[in-house]
Structure formats: C-alpha cells, structure tokens
Amino acid sequence: MARWQDGRGELVVGGETGSRIPLEIATSYRARTKGLLGRDSVEGALLLSPANSIHTFRMRIPIDVAYLDHNLTVLAIRTMPPGRLGLPRLRSRHVLEAAAGAMAGWGVREGEQVEVRVGTAPRPT
C-alpha cells in the first residue's frame, strides 16, 4: 500500500467499469483535523488517513462515513448528522467522508474494495 500525501486524486469504486469520484486526500495532522469542518457542501469525497474514528462537531451538513481497513475494504458505512461522535473502529485504518447519500449512489457498501489513484485527473461519473 502506498503512502499518500495531502492533495487530490480519484476514488474508484467497482473496478474499471465502476464509478470514479473526485477525491481529496488528507494525511497530515492539520488536514485531517480540518476535514470537512466549515464547509457547506462536498465535491466528491475526502479520505482521512490514518484514521479510525471521526466526529461531526461544527459541521454544517450530514455526511456518509465509510471505515476502510488497510486493504481499502469497506468495514462499515454510517450516515452522521452534525454534532455527533463516531465510535472508533479497531480494524479501520482510513476514513472516507462524503455528502449524505452519496456513497449509496456510487455503489460503496460493506465488503466492497475501493481504489485510490493519485496523480490522475478525475473524470465525471
């Protein structure tokens, strides 16, 4: 598994014929701490790495949260309203965040393995 840096990339769900979602990657302490705080909307998804839990305090919108293991397999998905504290997932190494309802539309579900591509221009789905 590659080590990522803060920046942009593409989330691939469902292999080559599946969905491609614009991805923001947050790996530094500062970027992970800021996350989606203060935003009114989300363009694509945000990957927090490393992370095994999140909170939605001071967020303005509800979000979908997918907990990923070290192989980028989805362990669990939760929709969280603002002002909540998510329970830590012991096997989780990364957390994927998106606007509430977006993950179902992309085909992200428990057991699904996703792919992160860095250095590629995101294509619309």
Side-chain angles (χ1 to χ4, degrees):
M1 161 103 78
R3 291 227 172 209
W4 303 298
Q5 295 181 357
D6 292 347
R8 299 207 173 268
E10 182 177 63
L11 178 71
V12 179
V13 180
E16 289 301 317
T17 60
S19 300
R20 294 181 174 359
I21 297 99
L23 182 67
E24 183 178 339
I25 302 169
T27 60
S28 69
Y29 176 78
R30 183 177 181 151
R32 285 182 288 129
T33 302
K34 183 172 192 268
L36 296 176
L37 296 178
R39 298 188 195 186
D40 292 324
S41 64
V42 183
E43 174 81 26
L46 171 68
L47 178 71
L48 305 172
S49 180
N52 67 356
S53 68
I54 62 116
H55 68 82
T56 59
F57 299 118
R58 296 187 342 208
M59 284 195 184
R60 299 177 182 168
I61 58 172
I63 60 171
D64 280 350
V65 179
Y67 298 91
L68 311 174
D69 69 7
H70 67 283
N71 292 320
L72 300 180
T73 300
V74 178
L75 301 171
I77 300 173
R78 300 291 179 261
T79 299
M80 295 180 61
R84 301 298 163 100
L85 178 63
L87 295 174
R89 303 284 171 162
L90 297 179
R91 291 184 20 226
S92 177
R93 298 294 176 262
H94 318 282
V95 173
L96 190 63
E97 299 179 347
M103 289 192 193
W106 299 333
V108 177
R109 59 186 153 275
E110 290 184 28
E112 177 83 23
Q113 187 167 14
V114 299
E115 181 183 348
V116 172
R117 294 184 182 170
V118 179
T120 59
R123 297 182 303 206
T125 55

